[in-house]
Amino acid sequence: PPPRALDRSLARSRTPNRKAWAAGPLGAMARSTTRVCAVALVAAAVLLECGAGLRLGTHVARGLRQGPQRPGWALHAKKTKKKGGSATKKKKAAIGGGFGAVKVEATPEEKAVAAAVKKVKADPTDEKRWLALASELGQQEEYADARQVLEAGLTKAADGDLLSSALGAMRRIPPSEEIEAAKADVAWPGQDDTEIWHFDAAKQAEVGFDRYSVPEAPRPCNRGTVHASGEDLIFASRSAVIPPEECDWVIEQMDKAAEKAWMQDKDPNNIGADAIYSRPFPDRLWMRDMPGVKAWFDHRLKTRLFPMLQSLYPHIIPKPNDLRCHDAFISRYDASRTASLEMHRDTTSFSFTIAMNRATDYEGGGTSLPMVRKNEDADFAPGAVKTDIGGVVSFPGQCWHGGNKVESGARYIIPLFIFLDYNKSGKDRGYVIDQLRDAGAIGDDFEMVF
């Protein structure tokens, strides 16, 4: 009824003479309206049930076609945290529409990724399409999935040179068949030590770390690694993080690999000239070229090195599993060969070095810094930071640093180049891989690489 008539009817309903009101025209109108509403509600309930059944059938059929556990359906909506808010359920657009379907407009970033996924689907053998998808993710700072896309592309692309280069040499260039066969016979040390060190205050005090500062904060890394100042950016362990006996074993493997490389030289008067120890960069060997060494290294990354690094920079590294090693090799600074390395900045989030032989084996050496101080009372001055065997020096990759000259003897180290492997959006690692699976660009047999 019109507002005024409704007001009058409500007024009458509050009077004692309700029977007279019910027998009047407004009472008849109310009864008629009630019947119509009841019928409409029943019809709506039937339609809603049918609509829900249709949508459920669509999801079930899609699940039968593509296999179980595919995220992105309304039935599998995940809870995500909104900035400054509580957890809410994300509703995704129902496929094929349907009565009551809720559609959420994709963001420009999501549309760009979807377009790149579509291009990959059109020709999964074209590595440039995989690289374009990874680049789009990199621009959005979705680093974890950018790396997984590169890994997936290597399983599909006809030529994966660009993808392999983007991933980094250590992670993708496989060892030779001979090295791979020999790995099975190598009993690398520390296999039984599976304890993961948790670098809480007690463990940090046990290991002991000296802190060093530089005059100003290094420039931000391209992965959002921002430091507020140069204070307490460099850490040097006062005791061994890697057991000395394991360091000795690694050096033995290096000597064996180096000796074999020299023996393969064709010119007996030029032994080693084109093998290992004749390069402008200090002598080095990739870990993949030594049986068992990479397996040992991966084990220590997980059990000690990544937890250590996360504890030293907790304001930047959320958890140890967010770290990945881009490159690592064994390097030798020899007073009679290449004894130092010029000042430079790495392109990584963090870098650190592991001392692999005893400090009594050489004079000089260490990580050189143009200006550094150990405590607030000291003045900034050029200096070098080094540790004894098994010790670690860590610092942001964008800090200027170099290899301090070794005056006598030889110094062995493992330099590590570390980057953060996370998605800025907060989405779980692998969400784009799921999109690629749904599109048919890769199969369910692809396993993410960690």
Side-chain angles (χ1 to χ4, degrees), residues 11-279:
R12 289 181 181 179
S13 69
R14 288 192 290 270
T15 64
N17 193 11
R18 294 181 182 179
K19 289 184 178 180
W21 174 83
L26 286 177
M29 183 183 299
R31 288 192 295 276
S32 176
T33 302
T34 301
R35 285 193 295 272
V36 172
C37 290
V39 173
L41 286 172
V42 172
V46 172
L47 288 174
L48 283 172
E49 184 174 357
C50 293
L54 289 172
R55 292 198 303 282
L56 179 61
T58 301
H59 292 310
V60 171
R62 185 168 181 259
L64 290 175
R65 289 197 306 271
Q66 300 188 351
Q69 303 301 317
R70 283 289 166 272
W73 310 342
L75 292 178
H76 298 291
K78 292 184 178 180
K79 288 186 177 181
T80 58
K81 287 268 188 180
K82 287 188 176 180
K83 289 184 178 179
S86 59
T88 57
K89 280 193 175 181
K90 262 190 179 178
K91 294 183 178 180
K92 296 199 174 183
I95 297 175
F99 186 87
V102 178
K103 288 191 175 181
V104 177
E105 182 69 20
T107 66
E109 292 78 12
E110 290 171 337
K111 289 180 180 178
V113 170
V117 167
K118 188 175 181 180
K119 290 181 180 179
V120 169
K121 175 187 176 183
D123 185 5
T125 64
D126 185 354
E127 72 166 343
K128 292 183 179 178
R129 299 183 183 221
W130 289 96
L131 193 62
L133 173 56
S135 298
E136 177 60 42
L137 290 166
Q139 291 176 10
Q140 297 182 24
E141 298 184 47
E142 301 290 88
Y143 300 118
D145 271 64
R147 188 171 70 89
Q148 296 300 335
V149 163
L150 293 171
E151 297 279 8
L154 280 169
T155 68
K156 291 292 184 179
D159 181 9
D161 289 346
L162 291 175
L163 303 178
S164 181
S165 297
L167 278 165
M170 178 191 168
R171 308 306 296 183
R172 293 311 314 168
I173 297 178
S176 65
E177 293 181 3
E178 184 179 4
I179 296 293
E180 191 67 21
K183 181 177 68 174
D185 300 327
V186 175
W188 48 270
Q191 295 185 57
D192 297 332
D193 180 14
T194 58
E195 178 189 2
I196 296 178
W197 281 15
H198 297 286
F199 281 81
D200 53 15
K203 176 61 74 173
Q204 287 197 26
E206 176 188 339
V207 174
F209 288 92
D210 290 326
R211 299 168 180 257
Y212 296 83
S213 302
V214 292
E216 58 184 18
R219 67 184 183 185
C221 173
N222 57 3
R223 293 205 171 195
T225 307
V226 180
H227 301 272
S229 72
E231 291 295 322
D232 294 339
L233 284 190
I234 300 166
F235 295 86
S237 65
R238 291 193 291 268
S239 62
V241 177
I242 302 299
E245 60 272 18
E246 294 183 18
C247 297
D248 292 338
W249 177 84
V250 172
I251 298 303
E252 289 175 7
Q253 307 312 304
M254 179 178 180
D255 288 339
K256 291 177 182 178
E259 182 180 356
K260 187 163 188 179
W262 290 338
M263 290 173 64
Q264 292 174 344
D265 291 337
K266 297 179 180 178
D267 183 2
N269 298 316
N270 197 22
I271 300 298
D274 59 351
I276 296 169
Y277 296 133
S278 180
R279 302 181 182 182

Side-chain angles (χ1 to χ4, degrees), residues 209 233-236 308-309 312-313 351-353 392-396:
F209 288 92
L233 284 190
I234 300 166
F235 295 86
M308 178 208 73
L309 196 64
L312 298 177
Y313 305 94
S351 300
F352 59 95
T353 62
V392 176
V393 175
S394 62
F395 49 91

Side-chain angles (χ1 to χ4, degrees), residues 266-339:
K266 297 179 180 178
D267 183 2
N269 298 316
N270 197 22
I271 300 298
D274 59 351
I276 296 169
Y277 296 133
S278 180
R279 302 181 182 182
F281 192 89
D283 309 336
R284 79 270 197 195
L285 268 177
W286 293 106
M287 291 191 180
R288 62 174 177 267
D289 292 336
M290 292 169 283
V293 173
K294 185 176 179 297
W296 164 82
F297 177 68
D298 287 341
H299 176 67
R300 284 309 179 199
L301 282 177
K302 177 182 178 181
T303 58
R304 298 194 181 185
L305 297 173
F306 280 171
M308 178 208 73
L309 196 64
Q310 189 275 333
S311 73
L312 298 177
Y313 305 94
H315 57 294
I316 291 177
I317 306 171
K319 53 187 181 296
N321 191 44
D322 289 332
L323 295 169
R324 292 293 179 271
C325 181
H326 178 72
D327 270 341
F329 46 84
I330 300 175
S331 182
R332 183 177 101 165
Y333 289 77
D334 192 329
S336 62
R337 294 179 180 272
T338 306

